[in-house]
Amino acid sequence: MSLTNIAPTSELQALDAAHHMHPFTANGALAKKGARIIVRADGVRLTDSDGQELIDGMAGLWCVNIGYGRTELAEAAARQMRELPYYNTFFQTSHVPALKLAAKLAELAPGDLNHVFFACSGSEANDTNLRMVRQYWALKGQPQRHIVISRKNGYHGSTMGGGSLGGMSGMHAQGGLPIPGIVHIDQPHWYLEGGDMTPEAFGLARAQQLEAKILELGPDNVAAFIAEPVQGAGGVIIPPESYWPEIQRIVDKYGILLIADEVITGFGRTGYWFASEGYGIRPHIITIAKGLSSGYQPIGGSIVCDEVAHTIAQDEFNHGYTYSGHPVAAAVALENLRILEEEGIITRVRHETAPYLAQAWGSLADHPLVGEAVSRGMMASLALTPDKASRARFAADPGTVGYICREYSFGNNLVMRHVYDRMIIAPPLVITRADIDELIARARKTLDQTYAHLQREGMLKAAA
Ligand code: PXG
């Protein structure tokens, strides 16, 4: 019996429905259905309140990089709570976990990214970034340089700043987003938007939209470009190889700041400490969260290059969170980084399990319902289609088929998500080959069931 498994599932569901407002959820519909209640986890597996065991194909929410059940992190938290549960870092004070974690991140981050501003989440960190890049240009005597360019279908968080930087149309439709001074260009989503172009030509064309936008706005008005190296929440969209080198050329040419949002891609997700290394890009700021603590504690931040940090240091930066660099979260993050490093987890991803996943996941491309099956490191996606040859979309509203597929997956005790009609996974980095085999078998069964369902319901129709 788990600590939290205190009552029959139906009672827990009723309590949840009565009082708990879930993020990104139609709560009315969920209340009728009842949430699946997770009570404990170990390694890559979750257990629900009915005792069912699931493979967690999403590492929680892209964050449990070292897997569940690492008691070293619980002990690090308990030790730190006993010694110094809280202190702030505002008024000319510091504490050991925050300064040690900042120094460790400076060591791990590429180039001269040597300074860390802490937050409690990726959203908060991106809000920091928005204010920091504008303050940077103000201190440089160019206060008019305030526009940040971002991308449609990018995800940078749910705060006013983060949600505005993101390019999710569903989010912009609610609550008055985006705030002023943020503009969006198109995403490098070849499968859906590439038409007859080759991926390489399309990647170049999408990158060149950045140059066109800079010229349209006036280069002297643009502060920064922010993007995820690989879009996560947008559906694990892996850009064509031509994309990032061209983006780097453009930001260099116009001297604008590059923010790589590595909230998902950081800490080993792509087989490197940071995906920026794998893509050969040189960001001025890297956004971090999630895998920084493997989700065991809420912590995020911005890793900042010498030039920006030294400039910001010239004046008071009127920004910060009560829990910036929280000692317990920082102590847990340090222990997480120690495990990632000492157990060689990221090296194993790069050389062993990611190639294995690429081959196993790639084999799903032969399924009649799958238009493409791609991966980068430990993140993978597949496109569902009624017609493989033409990369057609379904006649049903986007997401209808993806949702059906997700429901079968849940029924097969595999947490695989859908983004519209793309199925995605991002399992814990410690997943073994045997676990991958099991994950793929459940995914294939899910695809078979979805295909049969669509046949039965006459839904294998392409959009006009
Ligand atoms: N940047 C990126 C790239 C993210 O993926 C954030 C910032 C915001 O982090 P916080 O810690 O504030 O959530 C994220 C978060 C999904 C999903 O549906 C993805 C995220 C969060 C919630 C849901 O895939 N990513």
Side-chain angles (χ1 to χ4, degrees), residues 61-62 121-123 126 155-157 228 233 261 263-264 290 417:
L61 207 47
W62 322 81
S121 68
S123 301
N126 280 326
Y155 189 78
H156 300 295
E228 304 152 84
D261 185 340
V263 165
I264 283 176
K290 294 194 190 272
R417 287 256 321 277

Side-chain angles (χ1 to χ4, degrees), residues 245-295:
E246 183 67 0
I247 292 284
Q248 185 69 55
R249 181 190 71 74
I250 294 165
V251 296
D252 287 348
K253 179 171 172 189
Y254 296 97
I256 70 170
L257 298 175
L258 176 60
I259 306 167
D261 185 340
E262 298 235 27
V263 165
I264 283 176
T265 56
F267 305 103
R269 176 61 54 199
T270 69
Y272 296 84
W273 280 99
F274 298 96
S276 293
E277 299 165 71
Y279 280 109
I281 51 179
R282 298 182 304 280
H284 299 89
I285 299 176
I286 289 181
T287 320
I288 53 173
K290 294 194 190 272
L292 168 58
S293 66
S294 283

Side-chain angles (χ1 to χ4, degrees), residues 16 25 31 64 71 182 184 209 216 221 243 251 256 268 295 312 320 322 340 353 366 400 415 418 451:
D16 190 66
T25 298
V64 188
T71 53
I182 296 169
H184 299 83
Q209 276 198 11
E216 175 194 323
N221 296 319
Y243 183 77
V251 296
I256 70 170
I312 291 294
T322 301
L340 279 172
T353 40
D366 68 10
T400 309
V415 181
H418 79 110
Y451 191 69

